[in-house]
């Protein structure tokens, strides 16, 4: 996972184990993101937001 969210999590100064737990949780939630299967995602502002923050 890359993107703004990862950058912000790294700034928290968490232990490597805690940081990984946070990122794993967000990755798990992101895998259920319904926009990933949407045919109009390329034109969608919500999807662009998701890519910026979670998939950079």
């Amino acid at each position: 996972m890359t993107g703004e969210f990862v950058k912000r999590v790294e700034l928290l100064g968490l232990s490597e184990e805690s940081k990984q737990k946070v990122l794993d949780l967000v990755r798990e939630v992101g895998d259920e993101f319904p926009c990933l299967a949407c045919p109009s995602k390329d034109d969608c502002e919500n999807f662009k937001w998701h890519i910026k923050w979670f998939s950079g």
Side-chain angles (χ1 to χ4, degrees):
M1 175 187 297
T2 59
E4 288 295 319
F5 188 78
V6 173
K7 292 177 190 175
R8 303 283 177 102
V9 169
E10 289 174 353
L11 291 174
L12 294 174
L14 301 172
S15 70
E16 192 60 36
E17 181 182 357
S18 294
K19 180 177 89 170
Q20 195 58 50
K21 285 181 180 182
V22 170
L23 295 177
D24 288 345
L25 174 63
V26 172
R27 188 176 294 111
E28 182 180 336
V29 170
D31 287 345
E32 295 181 28
F33 189 53
C35 294
L36 293 175
C38 180
S40 63
K41 68 182 178 197
D42 293 331
D43 300 320
C44 177
E45 292 302 316
N46 289 331
F47 187 73
K48 291 175 188 175
W49 170 87
H50 177 80
I51 294 299
K52 172 188 173 188
W53 281 94
F54 300 108
S55 302

